Amino acid sequence: KKHLTMQSAPDDEELDSLSIRLVGLDENYPVRLNWNDLGVQFSKQSIVVPGDRLTRSREFIPGHGTLRRTVEAGSGNASFAAGRRQKQNDDNAEDNDEDDEDEDEEGAWELAASVAGRQHVVNKLLCVLPGRSRYAGEIGDVVVGRVQEVASRRWRIDANARLQATLHLSGVLLPGEDLRRKSEEDERAMRAVLAEGDLVSAEVQSVQADGSLVLHTRNARYGRLGQGTLVRVPPALIKRSKTHFHSLPCGVTLVLGMNGYCWCGPTPGQSDVREPLASPADRSEVARVRACVRLLAVNHVPLYDTSVMQAYEVARESPVALLSRPDEQLRVARLVAEQLLTAEVGEAQPGGGGFGLHSGDLISGGALSAVH
């Protein structure tokens, strides 16, 4: 795994040029980044662990990954703070001296991190984004799931979330028919639409109070997925895009679900999705795209159509079986990361759109050597 460590916390005058050491998979890549040119945003406490103090200011609203705890009168530490975090909490208290002046000695409270991750602020909402967690779900997300159970007028879907998602019969577009009120006859024929074990692409319609998701497939592009293969990757690696359905030039359809489930299958029209793949060549292309998605996920490269196609072009000459070897996966992932980083650096030049690196972002070693 890759780790990011800062040699020292910079002062204001050191922000113009900061030396950052980024540790890759097998070697160290000391990189000298120009702070202003790359637009990197630094925070002294951007990476936090459970128990770390975030702020004492009452202006911030606690979000996900944070908790409110009381502070003992006359003390700068929480009553249940761990002893090994004592020194770090005292150091962080220096940044909040101005906030402490406005607080009363009795009933004072502070916001602390409840998960390990990166501190993130949106206006006055303070939250901690965990590095690895279950898919939470947002309205409008495209997800891929597997049918676990056929219940009364609904399907139970495994969407890689904390709780099973629900797909109601009223939220399904029946084959060859428009949206209409579902009858008892439609309820008896639910297994003809989706049965246990089927893969389905859907959109998140709503999020319940307990965190469970309600899905729908009222669009023709959603529905049952036929012949193909499923790849499970960390949800944080899926890049949010305008579309998550991609018809690749190699004749493979790729569905990148925001929940971390990715589906690869033949492009509709080349073969019937309810029949076996037409030829071994089609199966080989599907297996190659799946291997590309897998190797990018193993090496923590963001997943979207451009990165997958670049990995496919780099690995085109390699046998599919060779793409399962760690050394070959690292080679392909590094080349893809270099290409992606080179493109972003070009956009960051005067007139470009900005580099978009933040403290705590993970970058592969090959990409860092390209920057160096």
Side-chain angles (χ1 to χ4, degrees):
K1 295 182 179 179
K2 308 172 186 66
H3 305 277
L4 182 146
T5 59
M6 297 293 181
Q7 292 178 350
S8 61
D11 299 329
D12 294 339
E13 60 271 10
E14 297 177 345
L15 292 180
D16 292 338
S17 181
L18 177 69
S19 179
I20 303 176
R21 178 173 297 277
L22 293 154
V23 182
L25 291 177
D26 52 358
E27 354 177 14
N28 294 340
Y29 294 88
V31 182
R32 192 78 176 179
L33 299 180
N34 190 309
W35 199 269
N36 292 331
D37 291 347
L38 297 184
V40 182
Q41 299 178 0
F42 179 82
S43 174
K44 290 185 177 180
Q45 201 185 5
S46 59
I47 304 297
V48 295
V49 298
D52 279 352
R53 173 190 298 168
L54 301 178
T55 183
R56 281 188 177 181
S57 175
R58 296 179 182 271
E59 297 180 358
F60 289 97
I61 303 173
H64 295 291
T66 65
L67 58 88
R68 258 176 55 169
R69 62 187 185 188
T70 57
V71 181
E72 296 178 355
S75 173
N77 301 311
S79 58
F80 57 88
R84 65 187 182 88
R85 308 299 303 178
Q86 180 78 24
K87 184 177 181 302
Q88 183 173 357
N89 286 341
D90 292 341
D91 295 339
N92 295 334
E94 297 178 0
D95 302 332
N96 301 312
D97 289 340
E98 296 180 359
D99 298 333
D100 296 341
E101 296 177 357
D102 299 334
E103 290 186 344
D104 298 330
E105 290 296 332
E106 297 183 358
W109 56 269
E110 64 185 11
L111 288 182
S114 61
V115 297
R118 182 162 61 90
Q119 182 178 342
H120 185 62
V121 180
V122 179
N123 294 331
K124 293 186 178 181
L125 178 64
L126 179 61
C127 58
V128 177
L129 303 179
R132 178 178 296 181
S133 64
R134 281 282 190 171
Y135 173 68
E138 297 181 11
I139 297 177
D141 283 355
V142 176
V143 298
V144 176
R146 187 181 296 276
V147 179
Q148 296 292 324
E149 179 187 358
V150 180
S152 174
R153 301 185 68 85
R154 69 192 63 191
W155 291 270
R156 302 292 184 183
I157 308 294
D158 173 23
N160 195 28
R162 184 173 56 87
L163 299 174
Q164 286 187 341
T166 302
L167 176 62
H168 292 278
L169 179 61
S170 59
V172 174
L173 182 64
L174 298 180
E177 296 190 20
D178 298 331
L179 287 174
R180 58 176 175 79
R181 194 177 188 87
K182 306 303 187 294
S183 61
E184 294 183 0
E185 183 179 354
D186 296 326
E187 185 177 357
R188 290 193 294 268
M190 286 178 59
R191 279 188 173 84
V193 180
L194 291 173
E196 291 86 345
D198 286 348
L199 290 174
V200 59
S201 61
E203 182 179 337
V204 178
Q205 181 179 7
S206 61
V207 181
Q208 302 292 349
D210 59 353
S212 60
L213 307 178
V214 177
L215 311 179
H216 79 88
T217 60
R218 294 196 183 99
N219 196 305
R221 62 179 177 176
Y222 303 126
R224 178 181 178 273
L225 298 173
Q227 297 292 332
T229 179
L230 181 68
V231 190
R232 182 174 179 175
V233 301
L237 293 179
I238 304 296
K239 183 178 180 180
R240 190 178 299 275
S241 307
K242 292 183 179 179
T243 176
H244 290 262
F245 294 83
H246 307 287
S247 296
L248 305 182
C250 57
V252 176
T253 296
L254 177 64
V255 183
L256 299 174
M258 288 298 300
N259 59 334
Y261 283 174
C262 305
W263 181 83
C264 308
T267 301
Q270 295 186 357
S271 60
D272 189 353
V273 296
R274 295 186 178 273
E275 298 295 333
L277 296 182
S279 64
D282 292 337
R283 296 195 294 270
S284 178
E285 292 298 316
V286 172
R288 186 177 298 277
V289 173
R290 180 198 180 278
C292 293
V293 173
R294 183 61 184 168
L295 69 87
L296 292 178
V298 169
N299 291 277
H300 307 283
V301 179
L303 290 169
Y304 54 107
D305 55 340
T306 302
S307 62
V308 174
M309 278 307 304
Q310 289 184 355
Y312 178 87
E313 295 296 335
V314 173
R316 172 177 290 182
E317 303 300 330
S318 302
V320 177
L322 186 63
L323 297 179
S324 61
R325 294 177 49 179
D327 55 344
E328 182 66 14
Q329 291 180 347
L330 179 59
R331 183 189 71 85
V332 175
R334 280 185 169 179
L335 291 176
V336 173
E338 289 176 1
Q339 295 176 8
L340 296 176
L341 189 58
T342 302
E344 290 188 1
V345 169
E347 294 178 359
Q349 298 302 324
F355 188 65
L357 272 180
H358 300 275
S359 172
D361 288 351
L362 299 180
I363 310 175
S364 69
L368 294 175
S369 60
V371 175
H372 183 61

